[in-house]
Amino acid sequence: MTFSLEERMSQIAWRQDSVAGVPLNRYVGYVGPVEVGSVQYDGSNRFWVWASPLQEDAWGYGPTEGAAKTAMELWLRSWLDNFRPFLKPET
């Protein structure tokens, strides 16, 4: 099995979603056991939409699956950066 550059650099583990064993054009992203986002194909508009359950108005889109996954990860990194002061150990 080979992985693309973006898959090797990503901290998000993407799993393809399915219904009754039928794979969907939808992927759910996890960091450890935490669901951080999803990417799914919008056939009527012909682009990939990403969204995050971590913030209700966090969403975007990309022309390809990879672009949407990358945009999701970029958003997640910038969103998590807001919490950096809380996560630093006190000295």
Side-chain angles (χ1 to χ4, degrees):
M1 178 181 279
T2 60
F3 296 96
S4 68
L5 179 61
E6 62 194 25
E7 289 172 324
R8 284 182 275 155
M9 294 179 65
S10 178
Q11 297 295 316
I12 300 174
W14 294 99
R15 299 181 196 153
Q16 188 171 17
D17 205 1
S18 64
V19 173
V22 177
L24 303 174
N25 280 336
R26 181 176 191 274
Y27 297 85
V28 180
Y30 296 88
V31 175
V34 179
E35 180 182 331
V36 295
S38 64
V39 171
Q40 62 187 17
Y41 186 68
D42 179 346
S44 62
N45 293 307
R46 291 186 276 185
F47 55 71
W48 289 81
V49 178
W50 66 265
S52 177
L54 302 175
Q55 186 172 327
E56 68 181 45
D57 61 347
W59 68 275
Y61 59 90
T64 65
E65 173 190 332
K69 286 179 178 177
T70 300
M72 168 64 216
E73 184 160 356
L74 289 172
W75 171 84
L76 180 62
R77 287 177 185 271
S78 67
W79 185 76
L80 288 172
D81 201 42
N82 294 316
F83 299 98
R84 188 176 302 277
F86 298 106
L87 301 174
K88 284 185 180 177
E90 292 189 32
T91 56

